[in-house]
Amino acid sequence: MELTLPASAPVSGQPVPHESAALQVTGAARYIDDLPMPAGTLHMALGLSGVAHGRIRGLDLAAVRNAPGVVAVLTADDIPGDNNYGPIRKDDPLFAADVVQCVGQPLFAVVATSQQAARRAALLGRADIEPLPAIFGIREAIAQQSFVLPSVTVVRGEPDAAMASAPHVLSGSFSHGGQEHFYLEGQIAAALPQEDGGVLVHSSTQHPTEVQHLVAQALNLHSHQVNVQCRRLGGGFGGKESQPALFAAVAAIAALKLARPVKLRIDRDADMIMTGKRHDFISDWTIGFDDDGRILAFDVMLASRCGYSADLSGPVNDRAICHIDNCYFLEHVRIVSHRCKTNTVSNTAFRGFGGPQGMLVIEAAIDAVARRLGKDPLEVRRANFYGTSARNVTHYGMTVEDNIIADLVAQLENSSHYHARRAAIARANADSPVIKRGISLVPLKFGISFNATHFNQAGALVHVYSDGSVLVNHGGLEMGQGLHTKVVQVVADEFGIPVDAVRVSGTDTQKVPNTSATAASTGTDLNGKAAQAAACTIRERMIAFLADRYSLPPERVAFAGGRVQLGAQSVSFAEAAQMAWFARISLSSTGFYATPKIHYDPQTMQGRPFFYFAYGASVSEVAIDTLTGEHRLLQVDILHDCGRSLNPALDLGQVEGGFLQGAGWLTTEELWWDRQGHLKTHAPSTYKIPAVSDWPEAARVTLLGRTENREDTIFRSKAVGEPPLMLAMSVLHALRDAVAEAAGNAAAAQLMAPATPEAVLRALGGLDTAGAA
């Protein structure tokens, strides 16, 4: 049956609805736990350590094995291959064998006939663990030289000499907490034994290829014997980049050992206790500057809590180094980065991947400079912006070629009425002894590409069927951000057909191999280009065939509006596909894309790690109650650079969602461990993510118009997944502004993140620090 293909204009650049929107709002979208499983499927649960650091003397699992419904119990001895799911270093065991290194580390797994039976049985295990000294804090780790990776130092210019000659020198410290990913769909994997000893794994992962490799290594198999599939994620935010391999590998080991399908889904409490978070950082900085606030020298120590293993801490901390400049030229700078080993869960990727942590430090320092000089922080920020022809090389040696930050900030400054509002706030604060308001404008520059150059590649597979319908498969993961929708738009435009003629199938390592993670905001840049390349190959084959058949020059064959124009006549796209198939023209093609221009030496930390930069700025206005520390975001104005947006509706959603997630990280989301290393904020009752009520009543979110990416990205668009999260820095600095209005600049400098009501009250001097601890 031929599809009806109505005439349509190009769809790239249009606000096309999310391809799964109707399925999701009706509850018909399938996630892994919704997949029908074969009869006889077994269920798993994990037995976790309750000790932060200790030597395992023995495991008593007799009660576990005898519990109702239990089929098997697995320990490290049951792993046929590598006992590891560490993505870079082999320091992350699936099951602790000799030593436990954090509360929540898996000791064993239970396989039972039902999920509830497995979970109940897992609670019956008894571990004999000899306690060992544990390290929890960052400064404690530094004092004991406890690191998961060697420290890194980057120096540009002559920071010591420049600091010594600077008219003004200021020192300070800043700290911020971590952040729980709080994806709606928790960690889950389902493994099904296949013929010849292979296994099919359904994994909720941002990185199917990495899961494939690590599962194969755990099973002592080759990669071609492991197939990993995922249609969509119920959220990821980086928490499903390296972490899912643990659950996939354990499920696969059980499935092959028992020759039965096995599903492992952990509950929310276990998920929060045993999976890594955003890295929390502390920093000590010294800044030299002149009377205008221009930075002359910057010397900073960054230290992050990495947890007990390396995980992705190396690249996260490297990216923090690369983004410590934000929008500002640093001629003389020294950065020392410590990657601290602690007896807590191994922290991992999170939206921004170290970039936000680095930016927060320079913004705190600039805020302090402005307050010391009695200037509006915006004036100091503007004085330090990168230039367009001079002062335009980063501390890692990359020339900033696409700098639009000055113009973007000026546009937002005007449209938000920033100066008029600041004056009005000053008047209001003078008449209000209890409620104080603050305002801040903070800019953003964020590099787009993986720092690890080899990950900047993607593949795709496109089929055109003889009825004119098109199927696309690519290596990226749909996790709500709209990647599949944008890829559909790209392919539809290449063939000149409407979006409902194109479908994207689930990510599958047997269809597109050696994929990169859907991360670093590169999903559309990479996979969109790969899909476009595959579609172009098929289209060129069709053009050559049709030009020959109709005796036309190739340039007179055009695809648009669901039809193929052949000189003075036209046929439907479906008719053209039917003719090509009948003439034995291949209507299937792979496509490949590798990001050009980029190069980077991780040893010297010099090169061009990023293809381009995304820019943005935000103005936040807040109010605080000086008696309670409670606060509210009153208004936000955002102007964000998406290049030539592929889909303005999806991009606006990413900007709004990223900003609010960042605001949650910096104001409400507090992770708290007790002195034995137990996470006490492991449920929505104790860990507060932003709610609908936290969105300000006045919000003006705008995409920068009349601009396109100067680099040859897909339709000259720019990535939008991660950068908007950092726009929330304006919320933190608006709160600092309000605290300064109430209690002075010294109090503002005491406000760290997350700026919870308790933190605000503590900065104001109204909460006893010792009592709060």
Side-chain angles (χ1 to χ4, degrees):
M1 178 179 177
E2 183 177 320
L3 291 176
T4 301
L5 301 177
S8 62
V11 293
S12 293
Q14 301 302 312
V16 174
H18 193 290
E19 50 90 29
S20 294
L23 296 175
Q24 287 167 329
V25 298
T26 58
R30 284 187 173 181
Y31 297 87
I32 290 176
D33 207 33
D34 302 315
L35 298 177
M37 295 294 291
T41 294
L42 299 172
H43 299 266
M44 296 189 79
L46 299 174
L48 308 179
S49 169
V51 176
H53 192 204
R55 187 172 291 106
I56 301 173
R57 292 186 290 214
L59 293 176
D60 181 0
L61 303 177
V64 181
R65 291 189 174 92
N66 294 327
V70 171
V71 176
V73 178
L74 307 181
T75 66
D77 294 335
D78 295 291
I79 301 172
D82 290 345
N83 182 15
N84 170 68
Y85 70 100
I88 299 175
R89 293 198 167 195
K90 292 189 174 184
D91 59 353
D92 243 332
L94 299 169
F95 297 121
D98 302 311
V99 175
V100 294
Q101 299 187 75
C102 78
V103 172
Q105 190 171 7
L107 301 173
F108 63 91
V110 183
V111 189
T113 53
S114 72
Q115 185 181 86
Q116 289 303 315
R119 289 179 178 176
R120 290 192 185 102
L123 298 175
L124 301 176
R126 295 292 176 264
D128 181 9
I129 299 175
E130 175 190 350
L132 296 173
I135 298 172
F136 300 123
I138 295 175
R139 294 202 185 275
E140 182 185 2
I142 295 172
Q144 297 192 34
Q145 295 290 289
S146 175
F147 305 121
V148 295
L149 294 165
S151 299
V152 171
T153 299
V154 174
V155 179
R156 180 195 194 180
E158 299 180 357
D160 291 332
M163 194 76 73
S165 62
H168 306 279
V169 176
L170 197 60
S171 295
S173 297
F174 185 77
S175 66
H176 65 78
Q179 187 177 22
E180 165 63 32
H181 299 88
F182 219 97
Y183 25 65
L184 290 179
E185 176 198 33
Q187 298 281 357
I188 183 172
L192 292 82
Q194 305 292 291
E195 61 184 19
D196 285 341
V199 63
L200 166 63
V201 179
H202 296 284
S203 174
S204 182
T205 176
Q206 296 172 235
H207 202 342
T209 289
E210 184 173 274
V211 169
Q212 177 193 37
H213 291 168
L214 290 169
V215 168
Q217 291 164 20
L219 294 171
N220 199 24
L221 298 176
H222 295 293
S223 292
H224 72 264
Q225 295 171 281
V226 178
N227 181 19
V228 177
Q229 296 180 2
C230 184
R231 172 60 181 89
R232 61 174 62 84
L233 308 182
F237 310 117
K240 294 180 180 176
E241 187 171 343
S242 63
Q243 308 280 290
L246 164 63
F247 308 99
V250 169
I253 291 167
L256 292 195
K257 181 180 179 67
L258 301 173
R260 290 172 68 176
V262 174
K263 181 190 289 188
L264 171 56
R265 175 172 67 83
I266 59 175
D267 65 16
R268 179 66 62 180
D269 291 274
D271 198 317
M272 293 184 70
I273 289 169
M274 65 183 297
T275 61
K277 325 295 180 193
R278 183 189 295 282
H279 291 68
D280 48 325
F281 274 62
I282 63 169
S283 62
D284 297 327
W285 51 264
T286 300
I287 191 167
F289 53 98
D290 63 18
D291 292 342
D292 295 322
R294 178 168 283 195
I295 299 170
L296 303 177
F298 192 47
D299 194 346
V300 60
M301 184 280 293
L302 299 174
S304 69
R305 174 160 46 180
C306 300
Y308 73 87
S309 69
D311 195 82
L312 296 173
S313 292
V316 166
N317 282 268
D318 288 352
R319 202 169 180 96
I321 292 174
C322 286
H323 283 81
I324 200 164
D325 58 337
N326 193 9
C327 297
Y328 314 116
F329 177 68
L330 301 175
E331 185 174 8
H332 301 284
V333 60
R334 178 189 293 112
I335 306 160
V336 178
S337 169
H338 298 305
R339 297 95 197 271
C340 298
K341 179 172 183 175
T342 56
N343 294 113
T344 52
V345 291
S346 292
N347 287 327
T348 189
F350 201 123
R351 196 177 195 170
F353 202 80
Q357 291 97 314
M359 291 181 188
L360 278 172
V361 179
I362 191 73
E363 292 300 339
I366 281 185
D367 190 63
V369 168
R371 298 192 187 283
R372 170 64 64 88
L373 295 175
K375 293 180 179 291
D376 185 329
L378 176 57
E379 183 181 346
V380 176
R381 289 185 170 103
R382 181 177 282 120
N384 287 286
F385 282 165
Y386 276 105
T388 54
S389 57
R391 293 171 51 87
N392 64 343
V393 179
T394 69
H395 56 287
Y396 46 90
M398 177 175 173
T399 300
V400 181
E401 301 171 337
D402 56 2
N403 188 0
I404 59 171
I405 193 61
D407 291 340
L408 186 151
V409 166
Q411 186 174 328
L412 180 63
E413 181 183 10
N414 181 61
S415 65
S416 67
H417 308 291
Y418 171 79
H419 292 290
R421 287 166 60 192
R422 180 170 279 284
I425 287 170
R427 292 191 296 270
N429 284 338
D431 296 331
S432 176
V434 175
I435 304 299
K436 297 293 185 181
R437 289 158 58 192
I439 190 170
S440 178
L441 190 160
V442 177
L444 158 72
K445 173 182 68 67
F446 189 80
I448 304 299
S449 290
F450 289 97
N451 278 54
T453 304
H454 66 280
F455 282 131
N456 294 287
Q457 60 174 296
L461 177 64
V462 173
H463 301 315
V464 175
Y465 293 98
S466 59
D467 67 350
S469 62
V470 178
L471 182 67
V472 183
N473 190 272
H474 61 84
L477 268 297
E478 176 58 57
M479 44 191 160
Q481 83 278 41
L483 171 59
H484 284 356
T485 306
K486 289 184 174 182
V487 170
V488 164
Q489 290 178 266
V490 168
V491 173
D493 272 354
E494 290 302 315
F495 290 123
I497 58 179
V499 292
D500 60 7
V502 184
R503 186 173 76 85
V504 177
S505 59
T507 308
D508 187 330
T509 56
Q510 286 190 348
K511 293 179 179 177
V512 177
N514 308 319
T515 61
S516 298
T518 304
S521 301
T522 62
T524 301
D525 283 4
L526 296 177
N527 296 286
K529 275 287 194 179
Q532 183 185 48
C536 270
T537 298
I538 298 170
R539 189 190 65 201
E540 291 304 312
R541 290 176 190 158
M542 294 178 71
I543 287 173
F545 159 68
L546 293 168
D548 180 67
R549 177 171 180 138
Y550 286 88
S551 302
L552 294 168
E555 59 268 20
R556 296 198 65 193
V557 180
F559 293 71
R563 302 190 67 78
V564 181
Q565 195 68 34
L566 303 164
Q569 60 180 310
S570 71
V571 297
S572 71
F573 180 78
E575 290 172 318
Q578 178 78 17
M579 286 189 285
W581 169 71
F582 200 77
R584 299 184 296 175
I585 304 300
S586 173
L587 296 177
S588 178
S589 178
T590 59
F592 181 78
Y593 175 74
T595 307
K597 296 187 177 182
I598 56 175
H599 56 90
Y600 186 66
D601 183 344
Q603 300 304 314
T604 63
M605 300 196 72
Q606 295 292 299
R608 177 177 177 159
F610 309 122
F611 192 25
Y612 62 89
F613 294 100
Y615 298 87
S618 61
V619 177
S620 290
E621 182 178 340
V622 302
I624 65 170
D625 185 328
T626 59
L627 300 181
T628 66
E630 293 175 294
H631 51 77
R632 178 168 292 279
L633 176 59
L634 302 176
Q635 180 173 332
V636 64
D637 294 75
I638 293 173
L639 183 60
H640 193 74
D641 165 35
C642 293
R644 186 191 295 168
S645 174
L646 271 175
N647 189 314
L650 294 177
D651 288 348
L652 277 171
Q654 286 292 291
V655 174
E656 293 170 351
F659 171 81
L660 193 60
Q661 187 174 53
W665 169 45
L666 296 175
T667 63
T668 67
E669 300 182 42
E670 185 171 25
L671 294 164
W672 191 83
W673 284 266
D674 67 16
R675 294 180 180 178
Q676 286 72 48
H678 293 264
L679 178 67
K680 293 301 184 180
T681 51
H682 55 77
S685 58
T686 51
Y687 185 82
K688 186 187 184 309
I689 62 172
V692 174
S693 58
D694 293 303
W695 186 253
E697 290 187 10
R700 301 178 179 89
V701 182
T702 308
L703 302 183
L704 184 65
R706 303 181 304 281
T707 185
E708 62 178 37
N709 197 337
R710 63 174 285 150
E711 299 296 349
D712 183 21
T713 53
I714 189 72
F715 293 122
R716 301 285 176 173
S717 63
K718 285 192 175 184
V720 71
E722 292 173 298
L725 182 135
M726 284 144 274
L727 296 171
M729 292 187 295
S730 64
V731 178
L732 176 64
H733 286 285
L735 288 169
R736 283 187 149 202
D737 192 53
V739 169
E741 286 291 318
N745 291 336
Q750 297 303 311
L751 181 61
M752 306 298 172
T756 61
E758 293 87 351
V760 170
L761 198 59
R762 191 175 298 119
L764 292 169
L767 186 65
D768 177 66
T769 303

